[in-house]
Amino acid sequence: MCTGKCSLCIAVTLYPLVLISIICNIVLFFPDGSVQYAKDGNITDEVKYMGGVVGGGLMVLIPALHIHLTGKQGCCGNRCGMFLSIAFAAVGVVGALYSFVVAVLGLQNGPLCKVLLIWTRPFKDSDTSYLADSSKWWMCTEPENIVQFNIGLFSTLLVTSGLQIILCATQMINGLFGCLCGACIKKEPGMI
């Protein structure tokens, strides 16, 4: 596969991952489908860090757009465009790493929930992992099913950002080959 087509494949694959990251992060603001928890500030810091919107979202979307243009015929489908795609892909790696770290912290620290009458993070700094022991999940009484909600969305962000890291790093390598060898985009007859 030539470097131009590889760029197109990478960009097209990044688009849905960006969308998934943004949606997951936005949904995390509304546990139990209610805006009340966000209004009252009863959401975790990791949600407020907006790893899915900023890191896995915007910081990967902008490079994806450039990477897409790099693979097409035109001003960016050349060695200079491939060189720039290395820098843009590096920005994508940084954004995806940010999203990855925030997701890991979100999973490690657990959700903010009501235990008896107090809002707390009962699994933070615990000796045993709540992820492996579902018998502790009963402690969170409100919002309903917050532990499963937290695990599902942060796990999705973790996988999504991991794939984004791999794809952006691959584009950095692809961009290097494209910069050295050219984008191998064939011109149609009659094009200048």
Side-chain angles (χ1 to χ4, degrees), residues 3 9 15-16 49 58-59 115 130 145 156:
T3 56
C9 289
Y15 292 139
Y49 295 156
L58 297 177
M59 286 184 71
V115 179
Y130 76 99
N145 298 320
T156 303

Side-chain angles (χ1 to χ4, degrees), residues 42-59:
N42 292 327
I43 53 175
T44 64
D45 289 336
E46 291 82 12
V47 175
K48 295 174 191 173
Y49 295 156
M50 305 219 4
V53 172
V54 175
L58 297 177
M59 286 184 71

Side-chain angles (χ1 to χ4, degrees), residues 4 39 54 68 130 152 161 171 176 185:
K39 280 183 181 179
V54 175
H68 193 143
Y130 76 99
S161 59
Q171 177 57 33
L176 179 62
I185 297 173

Side-chain angles (χ1 to χ4, degrees), residues 24 26 32 41 43 66 80 105 118 122 124 180:
C24 282
I26 290 171
D32 208 18
I43 53 175
H66 179 77
C80 180
L105 289 173
I118 301 168
K124 188 175 182 178
L180 297 175

Side-chain angles (χ1 to χ4, degrees), residues 58-141:
L58 297 177
M59 286 184 71
V60 175
L61 178 61
I62 293 167
L65 292 170
H66 179 77
I67 292 166
H68 193 143
L69 291 175
T70 301
K72 289 190 172 255
Q73 175 69 34
C75 64
C76 296
N78 55 32
R79 291 174 193 241
C80 180
M82 281 296 191
F83 177 74
L84 287 173
S85 79
I86 298 169
F88 276 100
V91 170
V93 168
V94 170
L97 273 172
Y98 175 69
S99 181
F100 188 87
V101 169
V102 170
V104 166
L105 289 173
L107 284 170
Q108 180 183 356
N109 295 333
L112 176 68
C113 61
K114 189 181 270 189
V115 179
L116 298 175
L117 299 174
I118 301 168
W119 285 93
T120 186
R121 296 184 84 174
F123 310 117
K124 188 175 182 178
D125 302 325
S126 176
D127 291 338
T128 60
S129 173
Y130 76 99
L131 296 169
D133 186 9
S134 62
S135 65
K136 297 180 181 182
W137 296 0
W138 65 268
M139 290 192 290
C140 289
T141 58

Side-chain angles (χ1 to χ4, degrees), residues 15-25 52 156-157 160:
Y15 292 139
L17 295 175
V18 166
L19 187 64
I20 291 167
S21 291
I22 292 171
I23 290 170
C24 282
N25 201 146
T156 303
L157 277 173
T160 302

